[in-house]
Amino acid sequence: MLLGTLIYGFINSCILALLALGFNLTFGISGVANFAYGAIYIFSGFLTWITMNSIGLPYLLSVFISILCAALIGLLIYYIVILRVKGLALSEVMATFGLGIAIMELFRYFDFVGFKYTLPVFFDGSIGFGEVYVDYQRLFIALIAVALTLFLYFFTRHSKIGLAFRAIAQDERTALTFGIDSDRIGALSMAFGAALAAIAAIVILPLGTIAVEGGYEVLINALAVCIVGGLGSTVGILVASVLIGYAQTFTANYLEPHWMMLVSLIAIAVVLTIKPSGLFSRQKELEERI
Amino acid sequence: MNQPIPLLKVSGLTKSFGGVIAVSNVSFELKEGELLGIIGPNGSGKTTLVNLVTGFVKPTSGKVEYNNKDITGWAPYKIVSMGIARTFQMVRPFYQLPAYKNMIVPLYSPRVKKLAGGKYGDRDAVALDLLEEVGFERDSHVAYKVAGSLPQGYLKRLELAKAMALRPDLIILDELFSGLSLAEVASIVPIIEKLRFQGITIIMIEHRLKELFRIADRILVLNYGEKIADGPGEEVMESESVKKAYLGSETD
Amino acid sequence: MKKRKERIDRGIKVRSEDIFALSSYREMIYLLMPRAIPVVGLLGIAPFLSPYWQEVFISTSIYALLAISWDLLISAGLVSLGQSLFYGIGSYIAGALNHYCGWSPLFTIPVATVMGGVLCTVLLLPVLRLRGIYFAMVMLVLPLMLSRLVEATRILGGTEGLPGLTPFPNQLIALYVIQLALLATLFGFRRLMASDYGLVLKGINDNDRSVMSAGLNIYLYKTQVLFIGASVGSFAGAFGTHIDMFAGMPGFALDYALLPVAAAVVGGMGTFAGPMLGAFILVPLSEILRALGALRIVFYGLFLVVFIVGLPEGIFPYVQRKYHQLERWVELE
């Protein structure tokens, strides 16, 4: 029982980290809180399903198309909406919030509700650790989460765009004087965030069905992790994911699965009371938050 | 009635921001009615020192005592109610409100109410009087203009008027003269001298050394967060460490 | 030849605002008209509406109250993406008092208003120090999580909710009550924001550090504003729950979070009349488009985006400007 909880807790933590990475990336770089994040997640799930089942494309191709389309939507949102209200944080939040809800509810309107909307797993089968059986898909999720984290780490430190990302994140004005186009980088960060949401959707959704409610859940989970960890801090995101992930799994196993969502609520309340800036946040942020 | 207790006593004040030490073990005392100038190169921790004294930043260690009362780490509004007012280096007006309506906010504070004997009175009239005192011409429209449309000179005056509205015993002016022309500085200096004449203790942080040396009783010099000199103007300027900090040492 | 638009206050505005001795009926009408329109419009129309439209007006007024409460919070810099929190808590308190204790709506609604205000304020107290989007995030998450709490603990009827609550004796009376409450809130809030207290709130929104250095405890003010806003929202919830004769998890639903924001943005933030106008445009419109079902929310969401990007000032300030000012094109040298 304990071993199972430990393993599943780790996988749950990976899922949370995967969900929060994209949201955090966009916010950390361009300061845009993309409240349409959950909608992009659900959109990618449904798009993969449509391209596979209605159009009949092979799995890998539809995955590719979904990730690309998600990134494209991110770009479009940035250029059509965000750019016009840039700098007005509240307008950005409200606009992406409205847009996200519009996208999600559109799927409900077109009757994308039911158990038939599932994505295939990447690898079938399961593996036993002692008495605990873990299916390959869950291991795959953990693998992807670790791989993406490492990729982002090296990307932001060793590639040109990645360095520009970090420059903008640290000081937009100074970056501007060095000839970095902050609008283009902002749009790219949106696209990257959206693509990460799509990847998360494609590896996580096979565990259940694709449902509109899932979009809200994803947004809440991503927000909870970011609030607890401290927005903009990747280390914070990872630590918060592990904390909340294990807390959720322990509650689900030893209390009742219903209580799982409450764990995040309690975590938010506790962290905000003790350290309003989140566990790992930079000094600059503290100024902005309180 | 010679009080041996200083009005403000700062001892061993230290603040580090995640490893970077902004203010390091600074101590000084301030007598009632004194005008203290604080100078130092850019990034020497002057503004952090003000933030520490006024409660905007909590110190890592050290103590701030005011009127023999420990006020270390108090919330800013409590410190104001004790009688310490400040201005900001980067002006912080309410951009959407007319200049005289900007004055209403400090005039609304509990301190003003207490000093006025429980009644606020006509705040608009008081606001206009104060603005006139800092150089908003009474019969012009400047005081009625939205703060966002005022030039820097008026915004600095507004900042000063907002601090004066609190009727403080100690007023801390953070680079009030920066960004102003010589003529504007010359017109503000008499206002400060008048405050002093009323018995208000003043701390001025300044880069305009010439004006500062003329009106200050004492100069405190900060460099890399440390106090390197404290005393009358001429004495401070003679000090080797100050010369080094400002001009750089020749042996480097 | 370049041109620029020049705006000049109408003479009658200047005369009737600055000089208090009103000299003519024309000036008095000029001042009274904008205030009379909502009063006469709401109270006068009520008896002539069909029962169906009376119902629509009741729910519109409930949404309008939520929108006005949202507008008060934003005036002090608090972005609430979860007005449903206030609505849900108000509805559950009123519902529980009626369901378990058998109190009449005459008592449940006032008690729910005050208790809801207190409860929401206490819940949000730890978050109050956060600014801008951080507060918005928590506000968005809270109602959704509270509905999970109800689901998980099965308290207050769990997913079934509390059915069979006492309805109002007469629909027209109910309509009058909610409309009077709405008008009182509208004019009360407008008066509040025009006072010096309101100036302090605007100051907090504009530059909170400056307010702190003026010797005011901004958290105290934020708490007060939150209490007022939450009370109004809880009132709307308590009222709505008796209209529906049901209290349940739908009280925390997204409709109550999204529509007030959309209404305020469409109508014009910071004016109180704007959000009310916005609610009176959006809710009846969605009634007309009822056949579209779930598309209703899509449509609110899009309205919100289009107005934020296209007409950020909103309808009401636009109309207000036309009423008070002349516009003309001036040629630039």
Side-chain angles (χ1 to χ4, degrees):
Chain A
M1 183 76 173
L2 184 67
L3 182 67
T5 312
L6 286 179
I7 293 173
Y8 275 89
F10 177 70
I11 290 163
N12 195 21
S13 310
C14 288
I15 291 179
L16 287 178
L18 209 49
L19 292 179
L21 270 180
F23 184 89
N24 184 55
L25 181 85
T26 311
F27 185 86
I29 292 162
S30 54
V32 176
N34 179 12
F35 275 53
Y37 188 75
I40 293 172
Y41 176 91
I42 282 305
F43 166 85
S44 321
F46 279 126
L47 189 68
T48 317
W49 190 88
I50 293 167
T51 46
M52 279 177 69
N53 297 313
S54 306
I55 306 175
L57 296 179
Y59 176 65
L60 281 178
L61 186 61
S62 41
V63 164
F64 182 69
I65 291 176
S66 300
I67 296 176
L68 211 64
C69 284
L72 204 65
I73 286 205
L75 276 184
L76 283 180
I77 294 180
Y78 192 87
Y79 277 115
I80 296 176
V81 180
I82 303 279
L83 206 53
R84 285 160 210 261
V85 291
K86 189 90 185 46
L88 304 168
L90 308 180
S91 302
E92 288 170 6
V93 167
M94 286 189 284
T96 51
F97 176 59
L99 207 61
I101 286 173
I103 294 173
M104 283 194 274
E105 296 298 322
L106 205 61
F107 280 110
R108 203 199 295 279
Y109 177 68
F110 285 117
D111 223 14
F112 279 90
V113 178
F115 289 109
K116 66 172 178 170
Y117 297 102
T118 51
L119 291 183
V121 292
F122 217 81
F123 299 107
D124 222 349
S126 59
I127 185 174
F129 295 96
E131 286 170 16
V132 186
Y133 283 89
V134 184
D135 38 326
Y136 285 125
Q137 185 67 24
R138 286 197 160 79
L139 291 181
F140 184 58
I141 292 175
L143 189 74
I144 290 279
V146 173
L148 273 180
T149 313
L150 287 177
F151 168 73
L152 283 181
Y153 180 83
F154 285 109
F155 176 76
T156 49
R157 269 160 187 79
H158 297 290
S159 77
K160 209 172 157 187
I161 298 179
L163 286 172
F165 273 0
R166 280 177 66 206
I168 292 277
Q170 282 181 9
D171 191 335
E172 185 166 340
R173 285 190 190 181
T174 312
L176 277 174
T177 61
F178 287 124
I180 296 171
D181 181 352
S182 75
D183 285 341
R184 205 175 64 102
I185 296 298
L188 276 179
S189 78
M190 253 324 243
F192 259 77
L196 282 176
I199 295 173
I202 286 158
V203 294
I204 295 170
L205 280 173
L207 300 181
T209 54
I210 317 171
V212 173
E213 285 76 22
Y216 296 113
E217 210 137 292
V218 165
L219 181 61
I220 293 177
N221 273 324
L223 287 179
V225 170
C226 290
I227 293 172
V228 170
L231 264 175
S233 151
T234 312
V235 181
I237 297 297
L238 296 179
V239 173
S241 303
V242 171
L243 275 179
I244 298 181
Y246 271 103
Q248 282 184 346
T249 311
F250 269 96
T251 0
N253 283 0
Y254 293 98
L255 286 167
E256 238 192 301
H258 270 114
W259 290 90
M260 246 171 82
M261 278 310 274
L262 286 178
V263 171
S264 332
L265 179 66
I266 294 164
I268 292 178
V270 170
V271 167
L272 287 181
T273 321
I274 301 167
K275 200 161 182 281
S277 49
L279 294 177
F280 290 81
S281 58
R282 289 164 295 179
Q283 187 65 36
K284 175 185 148 207
E285 219 182 298
L286 198 72
E287 278 256 313
E288 287 164 9
R289 285 176 80 150
I290 316 176
Chain B
M1 230 175 64
N2 263 335
Q3 280 183 328
I5 306 159
L7 183 69
L8 181 75
K9 187 177 169 198
V10 171
S11 35
L13 211 55
T14 302
K15 175 72 197 178
S16 63
F17 291 108
V20 183
I21 294 175
V23 170
S24 156
N25 200 19
V26 171
S27 309
F28 65 91
E29 289 182 359
L30 194 59
K31 287 198 292 284
E32 208 173 329
E34 214 176 358
L35 199 162
L36 173 73
I38 299 183
I39 63 172
N42 282 328
S44 57
K46 302 183 298 280
T47 296
T48 308
L49 184 61
V50 175
N51 284 338
L52 287 170
V53 172
T54 52
F56 279 81
V57 174
K58 289 204 178 9
T60 313
S61 63
K63 222 159 124 183
V64 182
E65 280 164 285
Y66 180 75
N67 259 339
N68 213 16
K69 202 167 191 177
D70 188 355
I71 59 166
T72 322
W74 282 23
Y77 71 93
K78 274 190 190 158
I79 292 182
V80 170
S81 69
M82 294 289 293
I84 303 181
R86 71 171 290 185
T87 66
F88 288 95
Q89 180 187 355
M90 309 299 267
V91 287
R92 290 175 176 272
F94 307 115
Y95 286 105
Q96 296 156 15
L97 301 178
Y100 81 104
K101 287 286 182 196
N102 264 266
M103 301 292 300
I104 301 297
V105 175
L107 288 175
Y108 200 77
S109 71
R111 175 176 171 83
V112 174
K113 185 178 178 181
K114 202 178 76 196
L115 289 179
K119 267 187 289 179
Y120 283 120
D122 183 359
R123 276 189 285 266
D124 283 3
V126 179
L128 288 170
D129 286 345
L130 275 163
L131 283 177
E132 193 184 12
E133 235 175 280
V134 296
F136 280 66
E137 299 80 3
R138 176 158 284 255
D139 292 322
S140 73
H141 285 292
V142 197
Y144 298 93
K145 271 193 176 168
V146 176
S149 69
L150 292 177
Q152 182 75 1
Y154 278 109
L155 290 178
K156 289 271 184 178
R157 287 164 200 267
L158 179 61
E159 195 78 3
L160 179 60
K162 270 159 67 183
M164 282 160 58
L166 294 164
R167 297 167 69 179
D169 304 318
L170 167 63
I171 191 165
I172 305 179
L173 307 171
D174 191 355
E175 298 202 18
L176 189 66
F177 294 158
S178 68
L180 297 185
S181 71
L182 274 178
E184 281 171 323
V185 171
S187 71
I188 292 182
V189 168
I191 303 171
I192 293 169
E193 280 174 336
K194 196 173 152 201
L195 287 177
R196 229 184 131 187
F197 186 70
Q198 291 166 357
I200 297 175
T201 316
I202 300 172
I203 296 180
M204 284 184 82
I205 291 179
E206 238 0 287
H207 275 303
R208 301 270 188 127
L209 300 186
K210 208 174 116 198
E211 283 83 5
L212 186 65
F213 275 62
R214 215 172 49 224
I215 52 178
D217 298 314
R218 231 173 83 212
I219 301 282
L220 189 152
V221 190
L222 285 180
N223 193 26
Y224 294 114
E226 285 177 50
K227 183 172 97 168
I228 56 171
D230 183 358
E234 313 81 54
E235 203 177 284
V236 161
M237 270 297 124
E238 289 304 308
S239 137
E240 278 303 313
S241 48
V242 175
K243 276 186 190 162
K244 223 192 252 172
Y246 266 88
L247 305 170
S249 66
E250 281 173 31
T251 48
D252 274 1
Chain C
M1 193 77 71
K2 279 184 183 167
K3 287 186 174 181
R4 125 187 122 79
K5 209 178 220 175
E6 190 180 58
R7 299 201 174 107
I8 308 162
D9 279 3
R10 286 179 203 276
I12 190 165
K13 174 180 189 254
V14 180
R15 280 199 303 282
S16 49
E17 266 187 3
D18 285 359
I19 305 163
F20 290 104
L22 294 177
S23 51
S24 73
Y25 282 113
R26 204 169 146 247
E27 281 167 17
M28 278 196 254
I29 289 169
Y30 177 83
L31 271 186
L32 283 178
M33 249 255 291
R35 290 156 182 85
I37 287 174
V39 178
V40 177
L42 282 185
L43 302 179
I45 275 180
F48 304 106
L49 294 170
S50 71
Y52 170 73
W53 278 99
Q54 283 184 352
E55 227 170 277
V56 173
F57 264 61
I58 288 177
S59 77
T60 310
S61 304
I62 289 173
Y63 279 116
L65 272 175
L66 285 174
I68 289 183
S69 138
W70 185 88
D71 209 25
L72 180 73
L73 294 181
I74 200 112
S75 304
L78 298 166
V79 193
S80 153
L81 292 183
Q83 289 294 91
S84 46
L85 174 71
F86 307 148
Y87 187 92
I89 284 187
S91 74
Y92 264 118
I93 293 176
L97 288 175
N98 186 257
H99 187 86
Y100 295 117
C101 313
W103 291 16
S104 99
L106 218 55
F107 297 106
T108 60
I109 294 178
V111 171
T113 305
V114 177
M115 261 176 70
V118 173
L119 196 63
C120 294
T121 313
V122 170
L123 262 178
L124 288 168
L125 222 45
V127 208
L128 213 56
R129 285 166 65 195
L130 300 182
R131 289 208 300 228
I133 56 166
Y134 301 92
F135 183 80
M137 283 183 197
V138 178
M139 273 304 275
L140 175 69
V141 172
L142 260 181
L144 295 167
M145 291 219 170
L146 278 187
S147 66
R148 288 297 157 76
L149 180 72
V150 172
E151 194 181 349
T153 55
R154 302 192 192 89
I155 48 162
L156 298 165
T159 46
E160 310 282 305
L162 306 169
L165 304 182
T166 319
F168 288 96
N170 177 325
Q171 201 176 6
L172 191 62
I173 292 177
L175 180 56
Y176 269 121
V177 170
I178 188 85
Q179 286 187 343
L180 283 173
L182 177 61
L183 290 171
T185 315
L186 171 70
F187 289 114
F189 280 10
R190 278 183 76 91
R191 167 73 52 103
L192 182 76
M193 284 312 283
S195 70
D196 286 354
Y197 182 86
L199 271 180
V200 174
L201 297 187
K202 280 181 204 156
I204 292 175
N205 187 18
D206 203 337
N207 198 326
D208 50 0
R209 255 138 220 276
S210 197
V211 179
M212 266 194 259
S213 74
L216 295 166
N217 183 358
I218 60 168
Y219 305 117
L220 181 70
Y221 284 87
K222 282 189 177 181
T223 311
Q224 291 167 356
V225 171
L226 191 60
F227 173 73
I228 300 172
S231 298
V232 170
S234 300
F235 172 82
F239 195 90
T241 209
H242 280 290
I243 293 287
D244 297 340
M245 296 187 278
F246 168 79
M249 280 162 55
F252 290 118
L254 214 58
D255 288 51
Y256 298 111
L258 179 60
L259 201 128
V261 188
V265 169
V266 167
M269 288 184 263
T271 57
F272 302 116
M276 183 173 145
L277 183 69
F280 274 86
I281 292 171
L282 288 184
V283 181
L285 204 60
S286 84
E287 273 316 306
I288 296 167
L289 302 174
R290 178 141 224 129
L292 298 177
L295 208 55
R296 198 178 75 242
I297 298 187
V298 177
F299 152 90
Y300 290 151
L302 290 179
F303 244 88
L304 180 58
V305 182
V306 167
F307 266 83
I308 282 185
V309 174
L311 185 66
E313 78 172 338
I315 296 173
F316 182 77
Y318 178 81
V319 175
Q320 198 178 26
R321 210 175 60 219
K322 293 282 171 201
Y323 187 71
H324 286 314
Q325 292 180 319
L326 295 166
E327 285 179 7
R328 65 175 179 205
W329 289 96
V330 195
E331 282 172 7
L332 289 177
E333 297 295 309

